[in-house]
Amino acid sequence: RFATHDDTAILCGGRCMQTTDRARYLGLYYGPPDGRGKKNDSLFVDCHKELLQSATRAAAKLQGKLAAHGMYIPGLVMAFHRTCVQSIMSFGAPVWGTAFLTADFAVAAGHELVKAQFNFMRRVVGAHTPSSRLLCVELGELPLQHHWAGLVFRFWNKLVGAQDTLGHAALRSDIRLG
């Protein structure tokens, strides 16, 4: 059981737990950047930077391996990208991806992970200037924000349908507080 003690301490199992504005969960930091963020900063700024670094390394390795095997078929390259790189870019998206549910194409296209997706697509087609929309049509891909929205909705539906679970109780409690 949790109990607050003098407004800052939290007791858990009789032990006093330290409070923090930033935590690492499943390999990602949640909370203001470096624990010192401004009021309106995203809680996932560092999370996106970490994902971008990992995804950039994975994309470079993927391109190297595909080139070594002479695989240049765009549809095949993008299928490998979805499996090997997009999954990294989407890690934790059911939690941090809610901001993209209402973002239009141009706003979402400005996100660093979406930009990385479009840059990879430009390399696949060997062109530097096509618009992001044209790339999506040409390669039959959806921008990452569409994938993230699907992950958010699946997570939401799972929580809503999971009656009598801690996750469902937390969701209901959060809705009442909001």
Side-chain angles (χ1 to χ4, degrees):
R1 299 205 188 275
F2 293 101
T4 51
H5 181 67
D6 61 272
D7 293 335
T8 56
I10 295 177
L11 296 177
C12 179
R15 290 183 164 181
C16 184
M17 299 183 70
Q18 292 181 337
T19 58
T20 182
D21 292 335
R22 193 164 190 255
R24 191 168 182 92
Y25 179 68
L26 295 176
L28 297 178
Y29 281 106
Y30 296 92
D34 300 327
R36 303 181 303 270
K38 298 179 190 115
K39 182 178 179 182
N40 294 326
D41 277 351
S42 167
L43 295 179
F44 303 103
V45 170
D46 288 348
C47 163
H48 294 155
K49 289 177 184 174
E50 287 182 68
L51 293 175
L52 181 61
Q53 289 171 354
S54 296
T56 301
R57 285 191 304 270
K61 283 186 178 185
L62 174 63
Q63 279 190 308
K65 287 185 181 205
L66 292 174
H69 288 62
M71 295 179 157
Y72 298 106
I73 302 167
L76 183 63
V77 172
M78 291 312 300
F80 278 112
H81 183 269
R82 280 191 303 277
T83 302
C84 301
V85 181
Q86 184 173 304
S87 58
I88 294 170
M89 294 174 152
S90 302
F91 184 73
V95 176
W96 56 256
T98 55
F100 294 95
L101 296 178
T102 57
D104 69 6
F105 187 89
V107 170
H111 189 275
E112 56 202 348
L113 290 168
V114 178
K115 284 181 186 178
Q117 176 197 26
F118 291 143
N119 287 337
F120 185 88
M121 292 165 68
R122 284 185 183 92
R123 286 192 303 273
V124 168
V125 298
H128 300 287
T129 56
S131 73
S132 302
R133 289 177 195 248
L134 181 60
L135 283 170
C136 289
V137 171
E138 185 67 28
L139 293 171
E141 294 291 314
L142 290 173
L144 275 171
Q145 67 265 27
H146 290 265
H147 177 64
W148 295 336
L151 294 173
V152 168
F153 287 130
R154 263 181 286 192
F155 180 66
W156 173 270
N157 287 335
K158 218 175 193 181
L159 278 179
V160 169
Q163 303 280 331
D164 301 324
T165 65
L166 183 60
H168 183 80
L171 174 68
R172 289 180 51 92
S173 177
D174 190 49
I175 290 171
R176 276 189 238 122
L177 292 174

